[in-house]
Amino acid sequence: MYLKGKFLYGEDYELKEGVLVVEDGEIKGFTNEHVEAENVGLAIPGIFNLHTHIADNCIKDVGINKSLDELVKPPNGLKHKYLGKLSREEIKEAIKEGIKELINFGSRVFCDFREGGVEGVKLLKECLSDDIKAVILGRPTYKGERVLNLSDGYGLSGANEYEDEELRELYKECKRKNKIFSIHAAEHKGALELSLKKYGMTEIERLINLKVVPDFIIHGTHLTEEDSYLIEKYEIPVVLCVRSNLYYNVGLPDLEKIKSIKALGTDNFMANHPSIFREMEFIYKFYHLEPKEIFRMATVNGAKILNLKRVGLIEEEYKPLFTLINPRVIRFSKNVLATIILRVEKGDLLNKSLNLLSK
Ligand SMILES: [Zn+2]
């Protein structure tokens, strides 16, 4: 397959124009031969949304001016009350709509914390589209539920909701089956205080103490110095969901304290639009990091965290996973990456499905 256009090439995202050869499911480099090629506009590495709760799409903005606990704390949070009343078909409709939104806003891979045990994972699987890859992290609704047979791993709500032994067992089960273990941690002050009160240590200290080293954690909004040290020492990646943190009014993470690999997620669909472009724009405007660093969080870092090999860059030997943009966006740009991060909107994305990852 030949793809013609502009490409953000290699680790340094050099803008190259030409005809890219894709063969046997991998990028082979550019060709100078005159061949018939498909026009892809501006191709950037596929965007990763590393943290969603997609079924919440059926209760958009139910949470205006409610606290995080009022909204999402299982089992009596508003979210659980509403979702409990909906039929299977209604939830599926909302999930399908959510998947369309992810695709239309450029995501090519998303990682969902799927609730509701085996049934919850099944629901999402029935809604998937070929245009996006889903990494599904489920959670058991009762002891011994075989969620891992269907899911890519566990995505747990928070350490405070589990006894020591449960955490150890769930982690061991994941590792035995070579699956992902992920958990929300240090999201808000209340979670930190509860952990200190109940266990005499922070959520992260407790996990490490139990020899539970998550493959990645979500949030890290309220990290202590010790947490920050442990995250660096055990190289625990952190998925940031800063617009979600703002929505719930829980504070914002101090990125200087997080010295491990970072990626981006948009969290609950009821609270946030799942656009990673919006997330990147916000991060630049609030934290003023280098555009390259932010762009990595939205692409190759996600691939690394999910352990997807040879994914996340447009480079020889990498798998062809692209988000396609109308090249008009970067006309007159003096900093292409910054322009992509700050200005791309839905109307700029070309919804041409290449779906080359699964081929
Ligand atoms: Zn979450």
Side-chain angles (χ1 to χ4, degrees), residues 51-53 113 184 187 218-219 241 267-268:
H51 186 60
T52 60
H53 299 262
F113 268 35
H184 295 91
E187 180 175 6
I218 314 296
H219 295 304
C241 304
D267 210 2
N268 305 89

Side-chain angles (χ1 to χ4, degrees), residues 108 129-133 320-322 352-359:
R108 290 294 169 264
S129 143
D130 276 350
D131 294 331
I132 191 162
K133 178 179 172 60
L321 182 74
F322 309 109
K352 191 181 282 187
S353 164
L354 287 175
N355 182 28
L356 296 170
L357 194 58
S358 57
K359 283 177 188 160

Side-chain angles (χ1 to χ4, degrees), residues 237-249:
V238 179
V239 173
L240 309 168
C241 304
V242 291
R243 286 185 311 137
S244 162
N245 298 153
L246 277 178
Y247 186 94
Y248 294 123
N249 201 17

Side-chain angles (χ1 to χ4, degrees), residues 70-86:
E70 278 176 280
L71 262 171
V72 299
K73 196 169 178 201
N76 294 320
L78 263 180
K79 158 177 167 168
H80 306 278
K81 278 189 188 151
Y82 274 101
L83 289 184
K85 284 188 198 144
L86 293 172

Side-chain angles (χ1 to χ4, degrees), residues 31-205:
T31 178
N32 290 324
E33 283 174 42
H34 285 282
V35 288
E36 209 167 292
E38 184 168 356
N39 198 337
V40 293
L42 167 64
I44 66 170
I47 295 289
F48 281 65
N49 188 334
L50 256 270
H51 186 60
T52 60
H53 299 262
I54 199 166
D56 298 0
N57 200 32
C58 51
I59 44 167
K60 277 180 192 159
D61 298 309
V62 70
I64 292 298
N65 288 327
K66 297 274 189 303
S67 77
L68 185 64
D69 279 355
E70 278 176 280
L71 262 171
V72 299
K73 196 169 178 201
N76 294 320
L78 263 180
K79 158 177 167 168
H80 306 278
K81 278 189 188 151
Y82 274 101
L83 289 184
K85 284 188 198 144
L86 293 172
S87 73
R88 202 172 188 280
E89 281 316 304
E90 284 170 314
I91 296 177
K92 271 175 74 174
E93 271 314 299
I95 292 179
K96 283 183 190 164
E97 214 32 69
I99 289 174
K100 270 188 215 151
E101 289 280 278
L102 280 162
I103 295 168
N104 291 344
F105 282 79
S107 287
R108 290 294 169 264
V109 178
F110 75 108
C111 179
D112 196 70
F113 268 35
R114 199 65 274 279
E115 291 140 50
V118 167
E119 172 60 16
V121 176
K122 276 190 188 159
L123 258 175
L124 173 51
K125 285 199 156 180
E126 288 169 22
C127 300
L128 289 177
S129 143
D130 276 350
D131 294 331
I132 191 162
K133 178 179 172 60
V135 174
I136 306 173
L137 304 181
R139 68 179 71 151
T141 50
Y142 58 87
K143 196 173 181 308
E145 188 180 11
R146 295 178 180 274
V147 177
L148 288 187
N149 286 353
L150 278 180
S151 72
D152 298 293
Y154 284 145
L156 305 183
S157 58
N160 289 335
E161 276 143 55
Y162 296 88
E163 295 306 322
D164 289 356
E165 206 37 49
E166 284 176 288
L167 281 171
R168 263 200 219 107
E169 272 179 30
L170 292 170
Y171 180 70
K172 272 192 203 153
E173 190 195 352
C174 265
K175 292 303 110 184
R176 224 176 23 243
K177 296 187 170 161
N178 208 11
K179 303 260 174 164
I180 297 170
F181 181 95
S182 180
I183 189 163
H184 295 91
E187 180 175 6
H188 59 118
K189 230 175 165 186
L192 171 65
E193 285 166 356
L194 180 62
S195 184
L196 289 172
K197 196 170 144 204
K198 218 169 151 187
Y199 304 101
M201 54 189 119
T202 69
E203 292 165 276
I204 290 164
E205 284 169 353

